[in-house]
Amino acid sequence: MKKTEYLVVGQGLAGTMLAFEMLERGMDFRIVASRSKSKASVVAAGMINPLVYKRLTKSWLADELLPEMEAKYRELERILGESFYFSKKILKPLSDQETTLWKEKSALPGFDKYIEDIVIESPVPGIKTAPAYGVVNGAGYLNLSDFLNHAESFFIERKLLLEEEFRFGSSAVFEAGEFQAEKVVFCEGYHLHQNPLFDFVKMNPAKGEVLLIHAPGLSEEFILNKKVFVLPVGNQRFKVGSTYEWENLSEQPTQKGKESILERLDELIKVEYTIENHWAGIRPTISDRRPVLGQHPEHDNIFVFNGLGTKGVMLAPRFAREMCDFLTGTNLELLKEIDIKRFYK
């Protein structure tokens, strides 16, 4: 058996970002990624949005997360030799009531860098008329499938990724393929809710469905957002979503999900389109909608870095760094909102 210090279980967004951080620090690890387990990250839109529209507040830690996020993804683009991080403004049609709220918030300190403008006429054709339109800065998306595929090739070339099933065995030694480790970090996405070691973590996995449409008459200048997002991904193709389903957690797309997305899409745009693809995935949502990081309460060699959820692209760089600080003993004080201790009995 070959030895390594850490096994990182899962190569979705969490496992991949943690692995890059570990590599940068010279830590000894191998990623374990079974082909039989799906990654919600691959089908996710990867959207970045600094605002929460319900009450028009800033996304959690947005001011801190966004600069670090952009710097990290730009660095990884250089390392992987590929472009997958794209800045793009959001255009949001507003009701009269929303317009009043947006004008009030745009005058507050700190909001001006995100609410770029509120306009009466739509700056692009193809969308239905609204009383006003909000333009959101600091937004964009990460092409997650491209990023994860290139990262997978990167780690395989360096013999750091094992396409194996993780074997539990005893809690003292862990095995995958020909490797054995004394420490393990679980980055399993929604599969964590099936992990007996972490059955005390309150998860609330949510199925989401996304369509790919071809809409030649629709502008690619903005991400559109009004009850549904319309994310331009090039060549007049747009990812459109999403849905939330907590009961049926199969990873198969449904007619119900498709109809729900199309109903909302048709309220937003007024151009012809064709549907080219339809995906479904399970979001690894934690009950309080915050990531979960830290050490198992009974086994000091077992760790978790999971639950990045819908804001995962924004959260992953910062908390991969904090997870490595924790693993190396650089900083053992995790934020209370993300610390697994909040679920200790």
Side-chain angles (χ1 to χ4, degrees), residues 214-286:
H214 180 219
L218 201 57
S219 169
E220 298 179 90
E221 184 179 347
F222 295 97
I223 299 169
L224 304 179
N225 195 310
K226 176 78 174 177
K227 297 182 181 178
V228 68
F229 65 76
V230 182
L231 176 69
V233 294
N235 299 314
Q236 286 80 51
R237 267 73 181 180
F238 301 81
K239 279 189 174 180
V240 186
S242 179
T243 62
Y244 283 83
E245 170 63 53
W246 290 271
E247 299 299 325
N248 169 21
L249 293 184
S250 80
E251 295 176 73
Q252 296 302 312
T254 65
Q255 184 65 24
K256 178 184 174 184
K258 178 181 175 181
E259 290 173 359
S260 170
I261 294 170
L262 293 179
E263 181 181 342
R264 288 172 282 148
L265 176 64
D266 290 340
E267 291 176 4
L268 176 59
I269 67 172
K270 56 181 181 182
V271 300
E272 293 185 359
Y273 58 85
T274 53
I275 301 166
E276 294 192 341
N277 215 333
H278 183 188
W279 303 285
I282 314 297
R283 304 175 184 90
T285 314
I286 306 298

Side-chain angles (χ1 to χ4, degrees), residues 4-230:
T4 188
E5 185 175 5
Y6 292 95
L7 290 179
V8 175
V9 182
Q11 198 250 317
L13 180 61
T16 298
M17 294 303 291
L18 182 65
F20 275 119
E21 190 70 26
M22 294 172 99
L23 183 65
E24 186 177 323
R25 298 177 188 225
M27 297 170 69
D28 182 20
F29 71 94
R30 295 297 184 279
I31 305 166
V32 186
S34 168
R35 290 281 182 187
S36 67
K37 286 191 174 181
S38 60
K39 305 173 193 172
S41 304
V42 172
V43 300
M47 198 161 69
I48 300 152
N49 183 358
L51 298 177
V52 178
Y53 296 132
K54 193 170 184 180
R55 295 181 180 84
L56 197 56
T57 57
K58 292 182 189 178
S59 184
W60 182 57
L61 299 178
D63 292 342
E64 299 174 34
L65 295 176
L66 288 171
E68 182 169 358
M69 175 204 72
E70 180 166 6
K72 176 56 73 172
Y73 291 132
R74 294 298 185 206
E75 176 190 337
L76 292 176
E77 284 183 323
R78 290 192 293 273
I79 290 171
L80 297 175
E82 202 62 45
S83 296
F84 41 77
Y85 172 76
F86 303 95
S87 296
K88 197 168 282 286
K89 295 171 186 176
I90 293 173
L91 183 67
K92 181 169 176 59
L94 305 174
S95 66
D96 287 323
Q97 186 177 1
E98 287 172 324
T99 303
T100 301
L101 177 61
W102 279 59
K103 286 179 177 177
E104 290 172 357
K105 286 293 181 85
S106 65
L108 297 177
F111 276 86
D112 55 339
K113 63 181 174 183
Y114 301 129
I115 301 176
E116 181 179 283
D117 205 355
I118 300 163
V119 296
I120 301 303
E121 298 287 335
S122 170
V124 292
I127 62 175
K128 294 190 175 176
T129 304
Y133 302 84
V135 180
V136 180
N137 204 4
Y141 72 98
L142 184 73
N143 187 324
L144 274 165
S145 58
D146 271 8
F147 170 57
L148 294 177
N149 287 337
H150 281 91
E152 179 182 59
S153 299
F154 174 90
F155 288 120
I156 288 174
E157 285 172 12
R158 286 154 182 78
K159 297 182 168 46
L160 293 172
L161 193 150
L162 312 173
E163 296 177 290
E164 303 278 354
E165 290 286 345
F166 172 76
R167 298 195 293 275
F168 274 95
S170 73
S171 59
V173 178
F174 306 97
E175 295 179 357
E178 58 182 347
F179 278 87
Q180 195 175 73
E182 293 183 0
K183 300 174 186 174
V184 61
V185 187
F186 288 101
C187 308
E188 299 179 283
Y190 90 96
H191 299 288
L192 187 76
H193 84 295
Q194 299 165 333
N195 186 328
L197 288 166
F198 293 99
D199 57 4
F200 60 91
V201 174
K202 295 176 183 175
M203 293 194 72
N204 192 21
K207 178 177 181 174
E209 299 187 44
V210 175
L211 301 177
L212 180 71
I213 66 168
H214 180 219
L218 201 57
S219 169
E220 298 179 90
E221 184 179 347
F222 295 97
I223 299 169
L224 304 179
N225 195 310
K226 176 78 174 177
K227 297 182 181 178
V228 68
F229 65 76
V230 182

